Amino acid sequence: MKTLTFVGCGMMASALSIPAHDNGHKIRLVGTHIDKDIVKEGKKSQYHISLKRQLSHDTEFYYIEELEKALDGADAVICGVSSFGVDWFLEEVYPKINPEVPVLSVTKGMINNSDGSIITYPEYWMQKLEEKGIKREINAVGGPCTSYELADKHQSLVGYCGNRIEELKMFREIFGTDYYHISLSTDIRAVELSVALKNAYALAVSLSVGIAEVEEGKEGVNHYNPQAALFTQASREIGELLEVYNGDRNQLELGIGDLYVTIYGGRTRKIGTLLGRGISFDKAMETLKGVTLESVVIAKRMGESINKLGEDGKINPEHFPLLMHVYDLIANEKKVNIPWEKFNLDDFEN
Amino acid sequence: MKTLTFVGCGMMASALSIPAHDNGHKIRLVGTHIDKDIVKEGKKSQYHISLKRQLSHDTEFYYIEELEKALDGADAVICGVSSFGVDWFLEEVYPKINPEVPVLSVTKGMINNSDGSIITYPEYWMQKLEEKGIKREINAVGGPCTSYELADKHQSLVGYCGNRIEELKMFREIFGTDYYHISLSTDIRAVELSVALKNAYALAVSLSVGIAEVEEGKEGVNHYNPQAALFTQASREIGELLEVYNGDRNQLELGIGDLYVTIYGGRTRKIGTLLGRGISFDKAMETLKGVTLESVVIAKRMGESINKLGEDGKINPEHFPLLMHVYDLIANEKKVNIPWEKFNLDDFEN
């Protein structure tokens, strides 16, 4: 039995505690400042108010003020914050974790640097910590997995990535069950980029829903050819972007599986649909009450990176017409106008 | 203006005549023996009774007995039969077409040989014709495109493949419009195999619909994690199968886009759902009134090929657990039992 400390006890991290508990491990869930209400109820009844599921009665809840107590004796730590908590985790949590204790992060995303290069969160953390004199490995989770369905023990297939095969195997031991299946990869860049990109491309494919709605004059219609065309183009661009940013193109599949379900619903489909109807980004964000979406953040960062690399002659932004169109919708106040004619990617030079 | 003769005037070939007509070409639609009623009404009113769309009034319809007249003066011929007409087309039509006249085929599929190797229909035809002393090139269409939506001029993105770049470019000239977009590839094997495989894998992903229905005790529920898991695994296996059978793995995307929409509906989703509920293949086929599905044919042929190559030590069938499970359902009377634990494809050797 290992003691696992989850820092950040939102829906995903808390759902992930369930297979680990099933495997007999001791679970400690630490709420951040935004998780106070979760912890309050959790300490009382172990009912998780966001996940809306009863957790096991031996699950321990901690306020962030009790972090050191929760970390004491932990065999592994799980970083459970969203991308908006990345720098907070860097400053406030990582320095308090013994560098020998393995870490697994559920945070998905990437940052673009001013030179056009990008860095995924695990890489970013490792680099920043090294600058502080802390050498540590960070493993991360990628792949299609909604927290509700994991909590309900539906079959799920995800990817864990990290630099050390032994640590990855240990985390698979801890979390892998007959309903939660884990592939391992040492290509952090490819796994993380692939699952980050799916957010931007889910928005892109969803544009076709709004376009079809306008064409048919009613909501909720599907035009399959355009959706399939955008899905095909999205797959091509994700594959090529993995290569551009030095990831293994064959890690594409986790992102593709994730893309497939992200299009089905949720806020990313909603904003893609609104933009597809020809509504401006600002107006669409009003409808969503200004909630910042990861899909928007990723599309913006990727667009900036591609533009910069394009300016410097390192890549050809024309190879990514779909992503750059989404970028134009978000950053340059353009109206939807899918660049279909640019999707002709012949496999020979013309 | 070119004269285009379509032999076989089912829904797909007839829909494809629409962008060519929009580009100003002369259209001749020749019905096979099963298209007699289509031709009868078409000669009268140019209304297509299967496609349920009015074609342009200068579209010419021909009975198969008028084939030679319809081929006379044709600048290009479009093979419009389904996979069940492949040998008929080989014996009865190809020998009547001037070998200098370019051909484009909409027929999708492949055949497995007794040594475990496979051959796609364009390759099969070219080989068989060469044995008859006829040297001809055959180009083919792949990618996600339903005939109804093409007829309604929804945006579509497809791939044309063939050995001669100039012929491919000519066909793109003829058919490409601002709603029908064509990528070109000289990798016939990869394009055709990729779009054939999507049929088998659409059945595979649909299994999760039936499984979810049984778990929830009602129809029409979606469990996204299992669907995404099967979609991820399907993408991985399609990519690896392209490599095994000597196609370019990067043509994966057309098949993936096609897979994405095939899962949405139709008979392949239906049989996948039935098998997912634990119904035997024979009983499921009864429900479908014995209609032979391309997805079933492809899964059977691929399973036989993989088994044979496995027996001969050329490949490891364990790399394709999802396809082989579908094969077992269809060919070996197995009941559904997704081999989730075999989906852990680490990117390093254990």
Side-chain angles (χ1 to χ4, degrees):
Chain A
M1 189 189 80
K2 290 188 194 299
T3 297
L4 307 175
T5 300
F6 296 69
V7 183
C9 66
M11 294 200 289
M12 194 62 230
S14 302
L16 190 56
S17 77
I18 294 173
H21 183 272
D22 280 355
N23 286 336
H25 300 295
K26 179 155 192 57
I27 308 298
R28 297 174 175 172
L29 300 182
V30 184
T32 68
H33 307 89
I34 62 171
D35 299 329
K36 277 197 163 49
D37 291 342
I38 295 172
V39 175
K40 191 174 170 194
E41 184 59 38
K43 278 182 181 267
K44 259 196 289 186
S45 69
Q46 283 81 31
Y47 181 80
H48 194 294
I49 60 170
S50 301
L51 192 59
K52 299 184 184 71
R53 299 291 187 281
Q54 179 63 52
L55 299 182
S56 169
H57 288 296
D58 55 1
T59 300
E60 293 177 1
F61 280 83
Y62 295 82
Y63 289 111
I64 190 62
E65 293 77 12
E66 304 169 289
L67 176 62
E68 287 179 40
K69 187 173 145 208
L71 288 174
D72 186 42
D75 296 300
V77 173
I78 291 81
C79 164
V81 298
S82 82
S83 58
F84 307 109
V86 164
D87 283 318
W88 175 80
F89 209 91
L90 173 68
E91 299 300 333
E92 302 297 329
V93 184
Y94 275 126
K96 298 190 175 121
I97 308 172
N98 177 344
E100 298 302 310
V101 172
V103 165
L104 179 73
S105 158
V106 304
T107 320
K108 295 179 182 179
M110 42 66 69
I111 298 164
N112 57 315
N113 299 315
S114 56
D115 66 353
S117 66
I118 63 155
I119 187 164
T120 64
Y121 288 142
E123 296 171 303
Y124 171 76
W125 279 323
M126 287 189 276
Q127 183 185 304
K128 289 289 176 188
L129 288 170
E130 192 155 6
E131 287 168 20
K132 293 176 191 282
I134 303 172
K135 264 199 84 72
R136 81 140 35 258
E137 292 296 328
I138 295 170
N139 306 280
V141 180
C145 187
T146 71
S147 53
Y148 289 122
E149 292 202 1
L150 174 56
D152 293 343
K153 306 189 187 184
H154 295 172
Q155 295 289 338
S156 306
L157 176 62
V158 298
Y160 283 11
C161 57
N163 289 317
R164 290 192 192 151
I165 291 176
E166 290 314 313
E167 278 191 21
L168 290 171
K169 287 184 174 173
M170 186 203 73
F171 278 116
R172 178 155 69 191
E173 272 302 301
I174 291 173
F175 289 104
T177 67
D178 60 359
Y179 57 88
Y180 184 67
H181 310 277
I182 305 163
S183 290
L184 305 181
S185 170
T186 51
D187 193 337
I188 296 174
R189 174 64 62 97
V191 171
E192 289 296 298
L193 185 56
S194 167
V195 299
L197 284 170
K198 68 92 191 178
N199 278 310
Y201 282 103
L203 193 164
V205 178
S206 303
L207 293 172
S208 63
V209 179
I211 294 170
E213 287 179 348
V214 170
E215 284 177 5
E216 301 285 337
K218 60 183 175 193
E219 289 191 23
V221 288
N222 277 306
H223 285 179
Y224 295 117
N225 286 16
Q227 272 192 40
L230 295 184
F231 199 92
T232 299
Q233 182 65 20
S235 308
R236 286 174 173 169
E237 292 188 17
I238 293 173
E240 189 164 344
L241 285 168
L242 288 180
E243 281 183 4
V244 162
Y245 293 103
N246 302 315
D248 175 8
R249 190 178 185 128
N250 289 341
Q251 289 295 329
L252 169 67
E253 289 86 1
L254 272 183
I256 293 298
D258 215 348
L259 176 60
Y260 170 69
V261 288
T262 306
I263 297 164
Y264 263 102
R267 288 180 301 187
T268 291
R269 181 187 176 100
K270 181 77 188 165
I271 193 163
T273 301
L274 293 171
L275 294 172
R277 287 185 199 156
I279 294 168
S280 72
F281 178 67
D282 287 347
K283 281 244 157 55
M285 286 306 286
E286 276 175 33
T287 310
L288 290 166
K289 302 195 174 96
V291 175
T292 309
L293 301 182
E294 305 228 8
S295 50
V296 170
V297 174
I298 299 290
K300 207 152 172 288
R301 290 178 178 172
M302 287 302 306
E304 286 167 2
S305 167
I306 290 168
N307 271 340
K308 174 64 177 153
L309 295 178
E311 279 165 25
D312 295 349
K314 291 179 182 165
I315 64 169
N316 183 356
E318 295 277 311
H319 285 202
F320 313 102
L322 183 53
L323 184 64
M324 296 316 286
H325 184 56
V326 171
Y327 176 72
D328 278 340
L329 295 176
I330 291 171
N332 297 327
E333 295 175 32
K334 294 269 174 71
K335 290 282 176 80
V336 69
N337 183 17
I338 307 276
W340 300 103
E341 72 290 351
K342 295 188 182 163
F343 294 172
N344 296 333
L345 294 185
D346 302 344
D347 72 355
F348 49 80
E349 296 295 320
N350 279 281
Chain B
M1 191 189 78
K2 290 187 194 297
T3 298
L4 307 175
T5 299
F6 296 70
V7 183
C9 64
M11 294 199 290
M12 193 64 229
S14 303
L16 191 55
S17 77
I18 294 173
H21 183 272
D22 281 354
N23 285 337
H25 300 295
K26 180 157 191 55
I27 308 298
R28 297 172 174 173
L29 300 182
V30 184
T32 68
H33 307 88
I34 62 170
D35 300 328
K36 275 196 164 50
D37 291 342
I38 295 172
V39 175
K40 191 174 171 193
E41 183 59 39
K43 277 182 181 268
K44 260 196 288 185
S45 68
Q46 283 79 32
Y47 180 80
H48 195 293
I49 59 169
S50 302
L51 193 59
K52 298 186 184 71
R53 299 291 187 281
Q54 180 63 50
L55 299 182
S56 168
H57 287 296
D58 55 1
T59 301
E60 294 178 0
F61 280 84
Y62 296 83
Y63 290 110
I64 190 64
E65 294 76 12
E66 304 170 290
L67 175 62
E68 288 181 37
K69 188 173 144 208
L71 288 174
D72 186 42
D75 296 300
V77 173
I78 291 80
C79 165
V81 299
S82 81
S83 58
F84 306 109
V86 163
D87 284 318
W88 174 81
F89 210 91
L90 174 68
E91 298 300 333
E92 302 296 331
V93 183
Y94 276 126
K96 299 189 174 124
I97 308 172
N98 178 344
E100 298 303 309
V101 172
V103 165
L104 179 73
S105 159
V106 304
T107 320
K108 294 179 184 178
M110 44 65 71
I111 298 164
N112 56 316
N113 300 314
S114 56
D115 66 353
S117 66
I118 64 155
I119 187 164
T120 65
Y121 288 142
E123 296 170 304
Y124 171 76
W125 279 325
M126 287 190 274
Q127 183 185 307
K128 289 289 177 187
L129 287 169
E130 192 154 6
E131 287 168 20
K132 292 175 191 282
I134 303 171
K135 265 199 81 74
R136 82 139 37 256
E137 291 296 329
I138 296 171
N139 307 281
V141 180
C145 187
T146 72
S147 53
Y148 289 123
E149 292 202 1
L150 175 55
D152 293 343
K153 306 189 186 184
H154 294 173
Q155 296 290 338
S156 305
L157 176 62
V158 299
Y160 283 12
C161 57
N163 288 318
R164 290 192 191 149
I165 290 175
E166 289 314 313
E167 278 191 21
L168 289 172
K169 287 185 174 173
M170 187 203 72
F171 277 116
R172 178 154 69 189
E173 259 323 283
I174 291 174
F175 289 103
T177 67
D178 60 359
Y179 57 87
Y180 184 67
H181 309 277
I182 306 164
S183 290
L184 305 180
S185 169
T186 51
D187 193 337
I188 296 174
R189 173 62 63 97
V191 171
E192 289 296 299
L193 185 57
S194 165
V195 299
L197 285 170
K198 69 92 191 177
N199 278 309
Y201 282 102
L203 194 163
V205 179
S206 304
L207 293 172
S208 63
V209 179
I211 294 170
E213 287 178 348
V214 170
E215 285 177 6
E216 301 285 337
K218 60 184 176 192
E219 287 192 23
V221 287
N222 277 306
H223 285 178
Y224 295 117
N225 286 15
Q227 272 193 39
L230 295 184
F231 199 92
T232 299
Q233 181 65 19
S235 307
R236 286 174 174 171
E237 291 189 17
I238 293 173
E240 188 164 345
L241 285 168
L242 289 179
E243 280 181 6
V244 162
Y245 292 104
N246 301 314
D248 174 9
R249 190 179 185 128
N250 289 340
Q251 289 295 330
L252 168 69
E253 288 87 0
L254 272 181
I256 292 298
D258 215 346
L259 176 61
Y260 169 69
V261 289
T262 305
I263 298 164
Y264 263 103
R267 288 180 301 187
T268 291
R269 180 186 175 101
K270 181 77 188 163
I271 193 162
T273 302
L274 292 171
L275 294 171
R277 287 185 200 156
I279 294 168
S280 72
F281 177 68
D282 288 347
K283 282 244 156 59
M285 286 306 286
E286 276 175 32
T287 311
L288 290 166
K289 301 193 174 99
V291 175
T292 310
L293 301 183
E294 305 229 7
S295 51
V296 169
V297 174
I298 300 289
K300 207 152 170 292
R301 290 178 178 172
M302 287 303 305
E304 286 166 4
S305 167
I306 290 168
N307 270 340
K308 174 65 179 151
L309 295 179
E311 279 165 25
D312 295 351
K314 291 179 181 164
I315 63 169
N316 183 357
E318 295 276 312
H319 286 202
F320 313 102
L322 183 54
L323 185 64
M324 296 316 287
H325 184 56
V326 171
Y327 176 73
D328 278 341
L329 295 177
I330 292 171
N332 296 329
E333 296 175 31
K334 294 268 175 70
K335 290 283 177 79
V336 69
N337 184 15
I338 306 279
W340 300 105
E341 71 291 353
K342 294 187 180 164
F343 294 173
N344 296 333
L345 294 184
D346 301 344
D347 72 354
F348 49 81
E349 296 297 320
N350 280 280

